[in-house]
Structure formats: C-alpha cells, structure tokens
Amino acid sequence: MSNSFKDGLKVDRSQLDIMQFKPKEKTLDVMKLRTNQPKKEIHKIAKSKTKRRVSSKRLKKLGLIILATGAAFGGISHWQNSQAVTLEEAKEAGKTLEQLKITPEQEQKLEQIEQIIDRESVTDYELIVSLQDIEELNMDMQKTKIAKATGKDKESVSLFTGIDTTEEGKTKEVITVDGIKYENYNMSKEISESIKDLGNIQSENYKVENGDVKREELKGKAKRYLDKTSKMAASELEEKNGKIEMKPTTKGEVKKLKEEQQKQQEDFER
C-alpha cells in the first residue's frame, strides 16, 4: 500500500468480517533469576584535624550529591513541563477552538470516539470502526489547521510521508497547499512527526483490514492514536516566512495559564 494519503479514504465497513480477528497463541517468555602523654596529645590533635578534614570532604561530597540530585529533579521537571497535553486539557487552560484552528464538529467527533473506546462493553467491531474514524478525523484536523494558517481551501491541502531515498533511516514529509510545497526543511519537526503519526495510523488500519491484528491489541491501538490525535488538535499551527510550524500546548504552558487565571480571579474578588 502506498504511503501517500488518499483524500476521502473510506473503508466499506460492511465488508469487515469480525471473525477474521482470531486471537493468536502467545509464546511465553520465562525469565530465570541468576602510649606516652605528649604523643597522646599530639595524636589527639592529629586525630581532631583528620576528623575535620574528613568532615569537610564528606560535606563537599554531600554538597555535590545534593547538587546532582537537584539537577536530576530539575531535568525531570523540565521534561514533565514540556509534555504535550490533550485538547480537553488545553481548553480547560483557556485555549479556544478558533485559536487551535479546529471546528466544533471535529471536537465533538473526538469526544464521541473517546466515549466509544472507553466503554467497558466496547466490541471489537466498534474499535475497528473507531480506528478508521481516528484516521479520517486526524487527517481532517491537520488539513483544517493548515488551510486556516495559509488562508487556502482545505480541499487544496494534501499530505505525504514516505521513505527518504537520499538518507537512510529517515522519512520525507511533504505538505502541498494549492500547488505550493512544504518539505522537511521548511516545516517544524512537530508537524513532520504529526504527518508520520497519521501515516502510522493508516498503516495500522491496513493491518486491521487484513486481519493482521490481535484482538487484545485493538483497544490499546485505538487509545494510543486517539491520544496522539487529541494532542495534535491541542497544538497551535501557523505559516510564517514560508515555513509551517506546529507548537504543541505543553503541561508547563497549561500550568502557567491556570496560574494567570487564578491571579486574575483573586484580583477580581478583592
């Protein structure tokens, strides 16, 4: 199957035979678990100095340990703050659909898919259909964001990802808007990764259609790709100086926005 994205890709769900997704036997991996006074006075003084030296060294070492621990916690905190949030979290912090360049209908569709996937009684067939819906919604959202950022029609936007033939181990992403091409060098890493994610969703759906997915994997895949779609939806996208950039809404940004909201509320109540 080509990695290019076909606009309006639809699967005839009536042709999906749920019986083809039969659970396969697993191979269990087993892990195996393999003495005069003057001298005494001099000695006391020497011992005391030694203690001071040891104490000083220990304090210095302790200080280094504290600094190293602080740096580690600082690194963890920075990593946590840089993590992308979902659309729901971004909206709670005050981000609007207009700001994020998506539509109320797309938000509603995202919520509907989430409700289906989270149901305890969800069937395999519903998960299969949900994966297809996630692919279509993800593509629609990305095209909507790009169209609004460039001032063009959504129908003029196309997306592509494929193996880079010039550099081993890398992929090539292309966005075409009304005949204008944006490639990896003039798009941010985040939008490039988002297009690759869409390619991965499409590949997973191809596997599902061919019965090459275990039953127990369906829900995990649906949840994972819905989460990626929600975080993409919560990202801001703009076209500037001939480059398309995507900026995810992060936990650190949400924290800052909520602190500002709290401060404004406190000032209002005074």
Side-chain angles (χ1 to χ4, degrees), residues 126-153:
E126 287 174 319
L127 290 171
I128 293 165
V129 173
S130 294
L131 274 165
Q132 287 292 327
D133 287 342
I134 291 167
E135 178 189 326
E136 292 172 7
L137 178 62
N138 188 302
M139 184 186 293
D140 194 49
M141 281 182 169
Q142 291 203 53
K143 287 188 174 186
T144 299
K145 284 175 177 283
I146 293 166
K148 288 186 176 183
T150 57
K152 303 293 184 180
D153 292 332

Side-chain angles (χ1 to χ4, degrees), residues 63-75:
L64 290 173
I65 291 170
I66 290 170
L67 285 172
T69 305
F73 278 116

Side-chain angles (χ1 to χ4, degrees), residues 86-233:
T86 62
L87 178 59
E88 184 180 357
E89 292 172 294
K91 284 189 64 188
E92 286 175 358
K95 294 264 178 118
T96 65
L97 298 184
E98 184 179 0
Q99 185 179 0
L100 299 172
K101 296 181 175 66
I102 60 172
T103 67
E105 292 77 18
Q106 289 168 339
E107 179 194 22
Q108 185 179 14
K109 185 64 177 178
L110 187 75
E111 291 173 352
Q112 287 174 348
I113 297 170
E114 185 175 14
Q115 288 171 6
I116 292 170
I117 292 172
D118 284 343
R119 272 207 331 262
E120 286 187 17
S121 59
V122 64
T123 65
D124 291 346
Y125 180 77
E126 287 174 319
L127 290 171
I128 293 165
V129 173
S130 294
L131 274 165
Q132 287 292 327
D133 287 342
I134 291 167
E135 178 189 326
E136 292 172 7
L137 178 62
N138 188 302
M139 184 186 293
D140 194 49
M141 281 182 169
Q142 291 203 53
K143 287 188 174 186
T144 299
K145 284 175 177 283
I146 293 166
K148 288 186 176 183
T150 57
K152 303 293 184 180
D153 292 332
K154 185 172 67 174
E155 288 71 25
S156 73
V157 179
S158 63
L159 309 171
F160 172 86
T161 184
I163 302 299
D164 190 340
T165 56
T166 62
E167 206 166 347
E168 188 177 351
K170 291 201 173 182
T171 60
K172 179 180 179 180
E173 284 69 50
V174 180
I175 299 170
T176 305
V177 185
D178 200 21
I180 300 171
K181 281 189 176 183
Y182 299 86
E183 299 187 33
N184 296 76
Y185 68 88
N186 58 353
M187 70 173 76
S188 67
K189 179 184 177 183
E190 290 78 11
I191 184 67
S192 174
E193 290 295 327
S194 186
I195 295 171
K196 280 194 283 188
D197 283 340
L198 179 52
N200 290 332
I201 298 172
Q202 195 175 66
S203 296
E204 288 297 339
N205 275 319
Y206 181 70
K207 291 178 185 177
V208 169
E209 289 170 44
N210 287 276
D212 193 25
V213 174
K214 298 176 184 176
R215 286 177 181 270
E216 61 268 25
E217 293 177 354
L218 282 171
K219 191 163 189 174
K221 288 180 186 294
K223 279 182 169 290
R224 182 164 67 254
Y225 288 117
L226 182 67
D227 182 67
K228 285 181 177 289
T229 299
S230 184
K231 288 175 179 176
M232 178 273 291

Side-chain angles (χ1 to χ4, degrees), residues 3-63:
N3 280 327
S4 60
F5 298 120
K6 297 178 182 178
D7 294 344
L9 176 65
K10 297 279 186 181
V11 172
D12 184 357
R13 289 164 187 162
S14 65
Q15 299 301 314
L16 292 176
D17 180 7
I18 193 64
M19 297 306 294
Q20 67 180 314
F21 301 99
K22 296 179 181 178
K24 300 176 183 178
E25 293 183 1
K26 295 181 178 179
T27 303
L28 296 177
D29 294 322
V30 180
M31 296 185 65
K32 296 181 180 180
L33 302 173
R34 321 179 193 221
T35 356
N36 53 48
Q37 189 65 31
K39 287 183 178 180
K40 282 182 180 180
E41 186 62 31
I42 293 170
H43 178 68
K44 284 180 182 178
I45 294 171
K47 190 175 181 181
S48 177
K49 285 182 179 179
T50 302
K51 280 184 178 179
R52 281 199 296 272
R53 288 194 198 100
V54 171
S55 177
S56 177
K57 285 179 181 178
R58 288 182 66 186
L59 285 172
K60 286 178 181 177
K61 183 180 281 189
L62 183 60

